[in-house]
Amino acid sequence: MRDAHTHSQGRGLTSPGSRAKLVEELRSLGVKDERVLAVIGKLPRHEFVEPALQAQAYKADLTLPIGHAQTLSQARVVAVMTEAMLAGKPSGKFGRVLEVGTGSGYQTAVLAQLCDTVFTVERIKALSETARKRLGAMGIKNVHFGYADGTDGWSSFAPYDGILVTAGADSVSPVLVSQLAPGGRLVIPVGPSGRQLLKLVSRNAAGAIQSQDLASVSFVPLLAGKQ
Ligand code: SAH
């Protein structure tokens, strides 16, 4: 039987109650940053996929199709990547962030709640435009959308305090690393399609670069050119 608390949060599969359950699941999977959990607990993740898939949106380990052979990343992976980036700044708002691979715009929206400005770049025009409209309708204003191949980042607005690449790269592009501000952090999946290692590359205040492996992940590949 449900208690009054659960009941008051709503029972539908796309309700605030399902967001609260997702947050608890992410917590049990080891996500600790309360800033990230709070944002995931508020954002209507189901609005980033087609109506037929919305009931699946709050499962922590599920990728969901978004058309054009692309996917919305698992909630767990969004949380882990965001947490790794934010760990460089334990308090206060994060500054300027670049996301490569806008896709549905869900990760973009998470970042927009936690950072001053988000620059997000996508190589598939239809996805970029849908995400732009979706975030606009949600009243999210601190995001700049770019339609371009972001393999080498977005130099016009560099440097960034954080860079998240949400598609699997062959290697860590030195050009991307060069767009990190001092103290900046790049989170990037590296390896063959579907079997990558999530890497955290950080630049310290003196400019030295350090790299560490975070987790095994499964992303669609980072592709060249526009579509
Ligand atoms: N953050 C997105 C992930 C979508 S999947 C989400 O959670 O919805 C990865 C996205 O990266 C796809 O939309 C794909 O088109 C895009 N992508 C792949 N290679 C790219 C490139 N070189 N530049 C920009 N976007 C790219």
Side-chain angles (χ1 to χ4, degrees), residues 17-29 31 34 36-42 58:
S18 49
R19 283 193 274 292
K21 272 194 210 139
L22 172 60
V23 166
E24 286 323 305
E25 196 179 349
L26 292 173
R27 230 188 262 285
S28 76
L29 291 168
V31 178
E34 294 298 334
V36 178
L37 293 168
V39 170
I40 290 178
K42 279 197 204 111
Y58 295 100

Side-chain angles (χ1 to χ4, degrees), residues 125-198:
K125 191 171 199 177
L127 290 178
S128 177
E129 285 180 354
T130 303
R132 182 203 301 266
K133 282 187 204 137
R134 187 175 277 146
L135 269 64
M138 290 179 176
I140 297 174
K141 296 198 167 71
N142 55 334
V143 178
H144 294 262
F145 291 85
Y147 165 50
D149 176 351
T151 306
D152 285 331
W154 198 354
S155 58
S156 329
F157 299 102
Y160 304 100
D161 303 301
I163 301 177
L164 291 193
V165 179
T166 67
D170 291 337
S171 59
V172 180
S173 153
V175 186
L176 262 186
V177 176
S178 76
Q179 292 175 19
L180 280 178
R185 292 157 82 88
L186 160 67
V187 186
I188 181 170
V190 180
S193 180
R195 287 185 293 121
Q196 297 99 356
L197 256 183
L198 190 62

